[in-house]
Amino acid sequence: QKEVEQDPGPLSVPEGAIVSLNCTYSNSAFQYFMWYRQYSRKGPELLMYTYSSGNKEDGRFTAQVDKSSKYISLFIRDSQPSDSATYLCAMSARTGANNLFFGTGTRLTVIP
Amino acid sequence: EAGVVQSPRYKIIEKKQPVAFWCNPISGHNTLYWYLQNLGQGPELLIRYENEEAVDDSQLPKDRFSAERLKGVDSTLKIQPAELGDSAVYLCASSLDPGSGQYFGPGTRLLVL
């Protein structure tokens, strides 16, 4: 079993829809949670960085962490065609050894 | 602010040939990472540097892979000899310190024939 599980999709939604992306994990030591966006043939781009449980909002993006369920989510409101990309969740156990464990990524297409 | 720079962007070589990738991190970022990303997968860490010291190279296949970060700034990752299974994207990332978010370069796409 992988430490981080993520549905690879693909996921297609119409423009303006609310998108929900999710990851589950098995290592209860994970405390730092990130979401990256990766366009085709580009490197991952850091979108959200959260610590422990709770919500964090940044514009149209909201990250949620539920440590009790070992489940994290990224919500995208009013999705745009420019949001079409692969979204990777990533997490690490502690700041002193910030080795990230990534999910496989979910490929999202927003249809105009 | 300039991002993480990597070169070359693409490389095609025959198996058993050597290859090298170069990375220049964001200015002031002391921590540098090399990742391997296979198609349809998330990045996997190969090696992490704190300044010029390799503090985690447990996932680096040391029989054929080597890396260096002289003067604690830019870094080079080398494969010698390359094998067919090394075809992948090699990503470099940097962060201000081990606890900060990591910022990735565009990657080097390697194809071994």
Side-chain angles (χ1 to χ4, degrees):
Chain A
Q1 183 188 11
K2 286 188 172 183
E3 293 206 66
V4 181
E5 299 280 354
Q6 184 175 8
D7 185 340
L11 179 63
S12 293
V13 301
E15 183 176 354
I18 296 174
V19 177
S20 172
L21 303 166
N22 312 294
C23 287
T24 60
Y25 62 94
S26 57
N27 188 345
S28 57
F30 287 147
Q31 298 186 67
Y32 300 87
F33 304 92
M34 285 136 273
W35 285 95
Y36 284 83
R37 177 175 61 194
Q38 187 171 25
Y39 291 113
S40 180
R41 300 184 181 274
K42 301 287 188 183
E45 171 192 6
L46 182 62
L47 276 179
M48 303 287 279
Y49 185 111
T50 56
Y51 169 72
S52 195
S53 287
N55 294 357
K56 182 175 182 179
E57 187 174 322
D58 184 359
R60 295 184 296 111
F61 298 90
T62 299
Q64 284 187 353
V65 175
D66 182 349
K67 289 189 68 180
S68 63
S69 300
K70 297 189 179 68
Y71 188 88
I72 69 171
S73 300
L74 177 71
F75 297 96
I76 307 174
R77 291 185 300 280
D78 188 25
S79 56
Q80 303 294 310
S82 58
D83 295 328
S84 298
T86 295
Y87 290 81
L88 296 148
C89 63
M91 46 199 79
S92 67
R94 55 190 174 95
T95 57
N98 194 23
N99 293 349
L100 289 182
F101 293 85
F102 282 84
T104 55
T106 299
R107 194 163 77 178
L108 171 68
T109 301
V110 180
I111 302 167
Chain B
E1 177 185 90
V4 176
V5 179
Q6 289 188 249
S7 69
R9 292 295 313 279
Y10 304 91
K11 190 73 177 178
I12 301 174
I13 61 172
E14 293 187 347
K15 63 180 180 181
K16 301 185 181 179
Q17 294 300 305
V19 65
F21 314 124
W22 177 81
C23 172
N24 187 256
I26 293 173
S27 178
H29 281 197
N30 297 320
T31 309
L32 183 146
Y33 314 77
W34 283 102
Y35 286 88
L36 168 72
Q37 186 175 25
N38 286 304
L39 189 64
Q41 300 295 316
E44 297 176 14
L45 181 70
L46 289 172
I47 189 168
R48 173 169 65 98
Y49 281 93
E50 298 297 338
N51 299 300
E52 64 273 12
E53 182 182 359
V55 295
D56 186 349
D57 62 356
S58 57
Q59 301 303 312
L60 191 72
K62 298 181 185 63
D63 58 335
R64 297 184 299 106
F65 286 66
S66 64
E68 61 182 12
R69 190 184 184 197
L70 301 176
K71 300 182 181 179
V73 183
D74 55 351
S75 175
T76 302
L77 178 69
K78 298 179 182 178
I79 309 175
Q80 183 171 10
E83 296 179 352
L84 296 177
D86 296 332
S87 297
V89 177
Y90 291 82
L91 293 162
C92 179
S94 70
S95 64
L96 194 60
D97 54 54
S100 304
Q102 298 180 25
Y103 295 85
F104 284 80
T108 296
R109 190 172 297 267
L110 174 67
L111 179 60
V112 182
L113 301 175

